[in-house]
Amino acid sequence: MKILNGAALSKKIKSVLAIEIDYLVKKHGRAPKLCIVLTGDDPASTSYVKSKQKSCNEIGILCDLRLLPYATSQDELLALIEVLNNDPETDGILVQLPLPKHIDQNVVLQAIDYKKDADGLHPMNVGLLNRSDDAIIPCTPKGILSLLKAEDIPITGKHCVVIGRSNLVGKPMAQLMLRENASVTVCHSKTRDLPHLTRQGEILIIAIGHPNLLHADMLKKGAVVVDVGINSVDGKLVGDLYNSIDVQDIEKKAAAITPVPGGVGPMTVASLLENVVEIYKRRCAV
Ligand code: NAD
């Protein structure tokens, strides 16, 4: 079984981006800039934001981190987004999710100028992706596709089964695989007879947010398995594939698997950096 090493590819993407940014700064006289807005102090979100900030710093993207208290009102957050939308120096805007419960996530995501939408979650970018047009693509699905392509995993004509239908991962992943000419099945918590469908997946992408669902007998022999999940079990970071009983059988049956950590996570960050540079280039070209 092959390990799809997202950490190594992410490192490679970052070093290529660093060279490109160096060139772009000389050409346009300023560095790309991402503004990350974090509302509240959720430990997981804080850790993701720090990792994104560190990666920006490593490759020459300016990272403007706005830390807002949990009690920030929706209007205050929207007012900040308007300022960032109109700031000529800000290329990408990322509002870290989840937002506090008193704030409507959809209203906030829609308020971001879709041309600065570094996470690709604005309805305009969702629509452009669905039309196979020039969208800013959500970072996790984009990173997964980059990893599959870098590893020469054939996609055209393959049956791709996506487990999970979130706006963040499952739905854009399915759209992206469709765009790449896979035949796509999307499964979710109300799917009947999940094993019947997962057994058909030549590429199986699992993004449900809890471990122990997938067992070896639910897998097609030779499947490429992408594990998106991030879960904490006994203080250890594990994916959705983590299964104390038969993880070794899964590994024997699959042709390739993404590890957790070191698989999809680093690719998500690399794709965010790519999105920021892409937005910057589009803005500089206008
Ligand atoms: P979500 O909670 O929004 O969606 C989970 C989806 O899984 C839902 O569509 C639900 O229908 C489906 N699901 C839940 N239980 C199921 C079951 N028993 N059978 C079939 N489907 C089931 O989560 P999300 O935002 O899509 O994230 C999923 C996981 O991926 C989480 O662990 C999250 O932390 C992780 N994640 C990782 C990265 C990364 O960079 N590695 C990025 C985003 C999300």
Side-chain angles (χ1 to χ4, degrees):
M1 191 220 33
K2 188 175 186 184
I3 297 286
L4 304 176
N5 190 338
L9 179 59
S10 158
K11 215 169 150 187
K12 207 162 132 189
I13 291 173
K14 283 191 205 169
S15 53
V16 173
L17 280 176
I19 295 167
E20 187 181 9
I21 289 170
D22 201 38
Y23 162 79
L24 289 168
V25 170
K26 285 180 190 127
K27 186 174 172 194
H28 298 295
R30 69 172 187 89
K33 183 170 166 185
L34 171 69
C35 182
I36 302 179
V37 183
L38 174 62
T39 313
D41 57 2
D42 174 69
S45 295
T46 304
S47 140
Y48 296 147
V49 163
K50 277 192 184 149
S51 149
K52 290 167 188 174
Q53 186 184 30
K54 182 168 166 272
S55 294
C56 284
N57 292 338
E58 278 167 10
I59 67 161
I61 291 177
L62 301 174
C63 187
D64 173 10
L65 182 55
R66 304 290 180 103
L67 300 174
L68 306 180
Y70 186 89
T72 303
S73 71
Q74 181 166 306
D75 285 347
E76 285 167 327
L77 183 54
L78 291 175
L80 171 61
I81 289 172
E82 197 180 342
V83 170
L84 297 172
N85 281 344
N86 293 319
D87 175 18
E89 299 288 313
T90 298
D91 297 295
I93 302 170
L94 185 157
V95 174
Q96 184 65 37
L97 302 177
L99 286 167
K101 293 213 171 355
H102 59 275
I103 297 179
D104 186 332
Q105 181 175 301
N106 286 341
V107 171
V108 171
L109 292 178
Q110 196 160 344
I112 298 171
D113 177 350
Y114 79 93
K115 292 180 181 159
K116 292 188 171 189
D117 171 30
D119 252 347
L121 298 175
H122 186 284
M124 186 70 177
N125 283 313
V126 176
L128 288 170
L129 174 61
N130 288 5
R131 235 173 51 166
S132 295
D133 219 327
D134 214 5
I136 299 167
I137 297 168
C139 304
T140 301
K142 177 176 172 140
I144 292 169
L145 182 62
S146 298
L147 185 56
L148 295 176
K149 286 188 169 178
E151 296 282 352
D152 290 326
I153 308 279
I155 299 175
T156 296
K158 297 290 176 187
H159 189 173
C160 174
V161 175
V162 181
I163 318 178
R165 58 171 165 183
S166 69
N167 291 330
L168 190 65
V169 186
K171 281 188 212 157
M173 190 74 242
Q175 283 297 341
L176 213 47
M177 295 306 271
L178 206 52
R179 199 183 77 174
E180 294 296 319
N181 300 313
S183 300
V184 180
T185 299
V186 182
C187 306
H188 46 79
S189 54
K190 301 279 187 280
T191 295
R192 277 184 292 141
D193 200 357
L194 184 68
H196 172 71
L197 296 170
T198 56
R199 277 185 213 118
Q200 297 172 41
E202 296 171 287
I203 300 172
L204 183 65
I205 299 173
I206 175 160
I208 60 169
H210 54 88
N212 299 322
L213 175 79
L214 197 79
H215 291 263
D217 65 356
M218 294 166 71
L219 209 62
K220 186 179 180 69
K221 188 154 177 49
V224 172
V225 185
V226 176
D227 186 355
V228 185
I230 300 175
N231 310 290
S232 174
V233 174
D234 300 330
K236 205 176 135 198
L237 184 77
V238 300
D240 287 349
L241 269 188
Y242 175 81
N243 181 317
S244 49
I245 309 161
D246 68 355
V247 72
Q248 279 151 355
D249 294 332
I250 291 177
E251 286 172 359
K252 266 188 227 153
K253 212 167 173 188
I257 288 187
T258 59
V260 178
V264 174
M267 288 307 299
T268 297
V269 177
S271 300
L272 169 66
L273 303 174
E274 286 181 326
N275 277 353
V276 175
V277 173
E278 177 60 29
I279 292 169
Y280 165 93
K281 287 197 286 192
R282 288 185 194 179
R283 295 186 71 240
C284 287
V286 177

